[in-house]
Amino acid sequence: QSVLTQPPSVSAAPGQKVTISCSGSSSNIGNNYVSWYQQLPGTAPKLLIYDNNKRPSGIPDQFSGSKSGTSATLGITGLQTGDEADYYCGTWDSSLSAFVFGTGTKVTVL
Amino acid sequence: QVQLVESGGGVVQPGSSLRLSCAASEFTFNIYAMNWVRQAPGKGLEWVAVISHDENNKYYAESVKGRFTTSRDNSKNMLYLQMDSLRAEDTAVYYCVRGFGGYKGYFDYWGQGTLVTVSS
C-alpha cells in the first residue's frame, strides 16, 4: 500500500485543464520535495516536475506543480491526446527511509 | 545523452536468485545516487532500493529488505541488484534510475527496464 494517495483517474476534453492531487503526511510530502512522473503506455516513466514546481529542460509549461502542507498537485493545461498517460507523484519518506510513489492517476482525454 | 541499459532479467523459479545489471554511460556515474524501481504487470511504480554515489548509504523497500542487495562498480559505470529468495510477487519490470540531489532526490533518467518473472 502506497503512503501517497492519488485519484485513480481524471478526464477532460481536449484543450481543457486537469489537476491531480497527491496526499501524504508530514514524514513525506510535508518535509521533502515532491516530483512527478509521466508514463506513456508501454514506455518507461519520465520526469515531469521536480522540487515541487520546477520543470526539467524540454518539459512544456502546460505542466505545473505545487505543494501545500502535506499535499501536492500536478496541473495539466491545454490537454491533448498525447497527454493520455499514467501520472505518479513521489517523494522521500523520512520515517520509512524510503522513496515512496503515489498510487498513480490515469489521465483520459475525452 | 544519458544512457541506462538494464540486463539480466528472465524467468526463474520461486526461491531462486537473479542478478540484474545496469550499464550507465554518457554522464559522470560516480557522482550520482542510483535507484532501482519496479513495476508489476498492470500495477503502479514501486521504489526498490537506492545506493549513494560512494556506496556509503543504501536503503531498501520493506518488501525486499534482507533479500535484495544493491551495489555498484564506479570503475565500470555499473549498477547491480542481487535478488535472492525470489517470490511470485517480485515479478515486475525493473528499472535502473539515476537519482539527482543525493539518495533522497528525484529520478531524472530511467532505463527501459528488464522483465523478471518468478514462476514455477
Side-chain angles (χ1 to χ4, degrees), chain B residues 81-98:
Chain B
L81 183 67
Q82 177 66 40
M83 304 185 294
D84 298 322
S85 303
L86 282 162
R87 306 168 181 168
E89 53 264 37
D90 295 319
T91 294
V93 172
Y94 285 73
Y95 295 102
C96 168
V97 188
R98 192 176 85 168

Side-chain angles (χ1 to χ4, degrees), chain A residues 30-66:
Chain A
N31 284 285
N32 293 290
Y33 286 116
V34 176
S35 49
W36 288 89
Y37 305 87
Q38 176 194 59
Q39 187 175 32
L40 296 169
T43 70
K46 180 176 77 173
L47 177 67
L48 272 187
I49 297 289
Y50 67 96
D51 290 357
N52 303 331
N53 56 18
K54 297 181 174 61
R55 284 177 288 106
S57 173
I59 300 300
D61 59 7
Q62 73 169 130
F63 297 97
S64 64
S66 64

